Amino acid sequence: MSSRTQSSVQAGRPGFVWAAPAIVFFAVFALLPMFVVVYLSFTSYSAISDPVWIGVKNWRHLATDPLVGNSLRLSAGLTVLSWLVQTAIALPLGVYLAGKGRTRSVLAAVLFLPLLMSGAAIALLWSTLFDPNFGLASVVGPLIGVADGNFIGKPTLAFYCVLLVIAWQFIPFHTLLYQGATRAIPTSLYEAAMIDGAERFKQFTLITVPQLRDTIITSGVLMIVGSLTYFEIILILTGGGPGTATRILPLHMYITGFRGFDMGYASVLAVLLLAVGTSLSLLITKVTGYRKMSSQKEGL
Amino acid sequence: MSGAATGTPEIPAAGQLPARRRKAIGPWWKRMNFVGGFGAAVWLVIVGAPLYFLFVPSLRVSADYLAKGPLSPPNNLTFGNYATIMRSEFPRYFVNTAIVTLACVAIVLALALPAAYAIVRSRKKSVATAFSVILLGLAVPAQAVILPLYLLITKAGLYDTLLAIILPTAAFALPLSIIVLTSSLRDLPAEMYEAMNLDGAGAVRALFSLVIPLSRSAMATVGIFTAMQAWNGFLFPLVLTQSSSVRVLTLGLWDFQGQFGQNVPLLLAAMVLALLPLLVVYLVGRRYLLAGLTAGSGK
Amino acid sequence: MFRSMRAHKIAVAGLVVLAVTGVSACGSSGPQKSGGGSAKELQLWTLQNPGVNGVQQKAVDRFNKSSGAKLKLSTYVNDPYKVKLQTAVGSANAPDIFYNWGGGNLKGYVDAGQVADLTKALDAAPDVKAKFIPSVLDVGTVDGKVYGIPMQGVQPVSFFYNKVVFKKAGISEFPTTWSDFLTVVDKLKAAGVQPIALAGSQGWCELMYLEYFLDRIGGPEKFQAIVKNEKGAWTDPAVVESMGMVQDLVDRGAFGTNYAAVNYDNKGSQALLTSGKAAMELMGSWEVTSLNDAFPKFLTAGSLGWANFPAIKGGAGDPLDIVGNPSNFYSVSSRSSDVAAATKFLLQEMVSDEYVAGMISVGQVPAILGLEKKVKIGAFADFNAFVYQMGLTAPSFAQSWDQALPAALSQTMLTNIQQVFNKQMTPQEFADSMAAAAGS
């Protein structure tokens, strides 16, 4: 390009000021409070009186708290399994629903409903279903080897129930992401494959999935970071129980801070959550080159 | 470039080919996607069963429901529960929630779109850092910052107002919105911007004549997702408001649970009513949603 | 929107200024929540409870009329209320009068200096003071000073049972000793019935067993020691033995197998009781009004029976001791703009004839002396009389542990109790874990 064209293109680019309002707004309501939380982690605070500085005492407690290791393990497990289960269902489902056809349209609408419900509503609904004596669990249980319908009362099973309900709520969202992305894949790619005689499954694995790479990353980041901070359903469905079997880290933080009113230590857990979440999200985006603003459509 | 001007890409969906080609492939049982259809059907049952237990019992009378258990076949269906709810404080909560939702959507769109535009088009390092900050922001747990937020809101004199809910909710909806918009704007080819530049247009004109029309679908997506977050938000209203005059639906639902806890069908009816507006929004905006999650011009 | 770069920059600057001002407005306490008009509006926060709220509203109206004050009642659901109260008390948005559970719960607020001392005012009205049941007023007293006025009924915990199921299993009356109780459990199992309905997904339902066992075995002093956080209080053999008895019940199958998944709030355990699938439930006195709302036919058929917790032979506790909620209390915030008016409301209305009669009419048994005849009315006459007797004659009325203990310790305790009931923790491990958590 000639230097004249280059500079005129440059002049037409938006500068930082465009992003500034969003950044400032977000900083005031999300980042600034987070700094205050870091401060609170060095204090003893129960919300009814002012915070009292106690240095690293809360942080030392982190090392001796028997529940933290448990929470971390549960959170890690839930994150990984959620990602696997939700992607394994949402991706093929999204691709399937991307096809034209009225039945698929109606189907997509119905399958989207769970996302429209609030977490509290979903948890209330499922807790009636899980009642071991009068709910759906009492009927389905005996059919699949749980004779007394006791799903959310057994530690391991409760974990899987939680995994299921959260997946139930969020799969529609990720299905939508995949659905939209699939719709945008140019048919020219498929036409070429057809000519070569590739059948449906090969098309899926060799064309569709690679083209969805960016969406897999977006969806993955959202799932992973989301499962590190989300707990509304677990709070109402199992309360972290039985015992501590479903007490993932954000829930541990909530119970410590808002039931035990130990805000200082809860702030430590919050900082821990933030650290893990940001490292993960930065790591993923760096490793996959997500941040390079290149389009997958180049070359077409 | 066929779909560019209208903003709705006219790409035929993947997998559908012109009729002529279809005949050439094979008999119908090879064409129908059995595996896909079966999988979708299974998922439909898993999604549908709980939904059945949401909608149908909401039409039952409480005494029936409790006495015979939720699994008993429903006879005696009535809309009485819905009538009871409409006569309670529910309409006011509904209006409050609607105001909060509309305000959040407006704020988010106004802030996220310019930001996404800048992130995609700017070469400046400051903007790239801004994007990293946004990605970082995804991981901020809302319940962690609720106390500092409470202090902030109170000192700003906004406690117990709808603004107290609107501002933090919009702020927390920004990261996702910016990511979705960025991802969609990125697929607009650079040549289009360059073409506008050659015409002498600056960044602002490019925004209005190019970016906004082409990202209508992505904006709809962002709007719908923000609306969902605002509509179903719980923690911010809980701590930052108090009077029933600014109460929103999610809190109202807890109220109902306390008031009518034993009347499960009534509670379910409240949940159904609470979800209807979002359903309408989704049905109306669905075309935009689908058409543009990674909107771009068709080729 | 942003028609020009310049306007854009100004807008950004404006936002930043707004943010900074908002944040740095330290020292200002924010606007007071005042309704219009000359009299100051006072806020009364209480729990939502349909029947009771009506009575409270009438009391508020009476007071406003007679004194020209502007007292306003706001109601909240349980869990959110606790969070709200904790964040609001001590801030500019604190209510003037607030509902609390007395005991350790109230002590937390008192220690933070947020509650007004009502001792003088109460002493100045001896006829009012004399009306309260002393053991209940004690729970609203911290360090010898009165900070809370009882405003609701006494709510002891007792056994409720399905008379029809008992009859079918050949049990003629509710057992009064523990060994008889165990025999009854076996009889019920033989008849194919789950002996006890337990909402095991909620720790506070399981807590009741521990509360009674410790009292019966070790006497009320054992829990007093725990409250005072004396050394060795949690590892006392009586605590370990009590948990041992819990696990004994579990092993016998007294609770069935799926209790850990049963929830009280959605009537899961009550459904078991009323449908005849289970025979008994240990629960607070609110069980009756709750059953009446959800399963009215069960009550009108006269199928509900109630009884004291059995005595344990060789135990140090009096068989008449009870546990539960002695009452709930109203306290006045020390930050209130009109402490005198708020106090006047409490002293005037909480013992007024209208208020007391109203409470009785909605099924509450007030913590007021001399009501033997008055409570024996209405749909639950017999039950009210039973509860009132318990409240009056009990040598000790222990407060629910999760209200008496500090919040953080309470949470740990509830989690541990669940684990003991699910056989994930031994009684000794429970005692050790609690001792470690309490730092004693």
Side-chain angles (χ1 to χ4, degrees), chain A residues 217 280-292, chain B residues 135:
Chain A
I217 296 170
L280 271 180
S281 100
L282 288 177
L283 180 72
I284 295 176
T285 51
K286 189 154 193 196
V287 162
T288 56
Y290 183 69
R291 275 184 291 163
K292 279 185 271 156
Chain B
L135 280 183

Side-chain angles (χ1 to χ4, degrees), chain C residues 97-120:
Chain C
I97 304 178
F98 59 96
Y99 172 108
N100 61 78
W101 285 259
N105 175 255
L106 179 58
K107 185 169 183 334
Y109 298 117
V110 170
D111 286 345
Q114 301 297 341
V115 190
D117 181 358
L118 305 173
T119 321
K120 281 218 187 82

Side-chain angles (χ1 to χ4, degrees), chain C residues 156-160 212 281-284 306-308 383 386 390:
Chain C
V157 171
S158 57
F159 265 114
F160 296 91
Y212 263 122
E281 187 174 18
L282 184 67
M283 189 44 66
W306 44 80
N308 281 343
F383 181 67
F386 169 73
M390 275 176 108

Side-chain angles (χ1 to χ4, degrees), chain A residues 21-282:
Chain A
I23 299 292
V24 167
F25 191 72
F26 183 68
V28 167
F29 289 101
L31 294 180
L32 175 67
M34 203 59 216
F35 282 114
V36 178
V37 169
V38 173
Y39 160 71
L40 284 179
S41 71
F42 293 101
T43 68
S44 163
Y45 184 48
S46 68
I48 37 178
S49 40
D50 291 331
V52 173
W53 183 268
I54 56 169
V56 294
K57 204 153 155 223
N58 285 327
W59 287 92
R60 279 210 223 115
H61 185 218
L62 185 66
T64 58
D65 182 1
L67 293 178
V68 167
N70 180 53
S71 294
L72 277 171
R73 202 178 32 89
L74 288 173
S75 272
L78 188 70
T79 303
V80 171
L81 287 174
S82 282
W83 180 77
L84 282 173
V85 167
Q86 290 184 31
T87 307
I89 297 181
L91 206 162
L93 192 61
V95 172
Y96 178 75
L97 291 176
K100 283 236 174 90
R102 184 160 298 162
T103 33
R104 298 195 194 198
S105 260
V106 171
L107 198 59
V110 171
L111 293 179
F112 196 72
L113 279 175
L115 196 58
L116 301 176
M117 295 172 68
S118 64
I122 293 181
L124 286 174
L125 179 64
W126 277 90
S127 71
T128 49
L129 293 179
F130 274 124
D131 184 296
N133 299 303
F134 303 98
L136 201 57
S138 64
V139 166
V140 172
L143 297 176
I144 58 176
V146 182
D148 56 359
N150 188 357
F151 286 93
I152 53 175
K154 298 206 182 91
T156 337
L157 268 185
F159 181 80
Y160 290 115
C161 289
V162 155
L163 182 69
L164 167 69
V165 178
I166 292 183
W168 190 84
Q169 184 184 19
F170 287 113
I171 281 180
F173 173 73
H174 297 280
T175 307
L176 199 65
L177 286 180
Y178 288 118
Q179 203 177 338
T182 310
R183 277 269 182 105
I185 300 178
T187 39
S188 50
L189 296 174
Y190 291 101
E191 283 162 23
M194 283 285 179
I195 294 174
D196 285 344
E199 36 75 58
R200 193 189 312 272
F201 187 65
K202 269 232 176 94
Q203 288 177 33
F204 179 71
T205 47
L206 298 178
I207 299 176
T208 318
V209 173
Q211 279 291 306
L212 291 175
R213 186 182 141 267
D214 264 356
T215 316
I216 296 181
I217 296 170
T218 312
S219 159
V221 168
L222 290 174
M223 266 185 215
I224 290 174
V225 173
S227 65
L228 283 175
T229 56
Y230 185 72
F231 72 96
E232 218 171 283
I233 283 187
I234 306 185
L235 177 69
I236 301 179
L237 196 60
T238 64
T244 53
T246 54
R247 201 178 201 184
I248 58 174
L249 196 55
L251 188 60
H252 183 42
M253 180 194 76
Y254 179 83
I255 293 179
T256 308
F258 289 90
R259 295 252 174 97
F261 295 119
D262 184 358
M263 306 285 186
Y265 185 58
S267 299
V268 168
L269 295 172
V271 173
L272 181 63
L273 264 176
L274 178 69
V276 174
T278 40
S279 335
L280 271 180
S281 100
L282 288 177

Side-chain angles (χ1 to χ4, degrees), chain A residues 12-14 26 37 105 112-113 116 121 134 139 168 173 176 200 214 229 231 253 258 263 270 278 291 295, chain B residues 31 46-47 70-71 121-123 132 136-137 143-144 146-147 171 186-187 203 225 228 232 271 279 282 286 293:
Chain A
R13 289 184 185 270
F26 183 68
V37 169
S105 260
F112 196 72
L113 279 175
L116 301 176
F134 303 98
V139 166
W168 190 84
F173 173 73
L176 199 65
R200 193 189 312 272
D214 264 356
T229 56
F231 72 96
M253 180 194 76
F258 289 90
M263 306 285 186
T278 40
R291 275 184 291 163
S295 165
Chain B
R31 264 184 285 124
I46 297 179
V47 168
L71 294 177
R121 290 296 298 165
S122 166
R123 293 244 173 88
S132 295
L136 190 153
Q143 58 274 21
I146 192 64
L147 272 178
R186 194 173 50 196
D187 282 335
F225 286 150
M228 277 165 35
N232 288 327
M271 297 204 287
L279 184 58
Y282 165 68
R286 191 168 37 142
L293 270 170

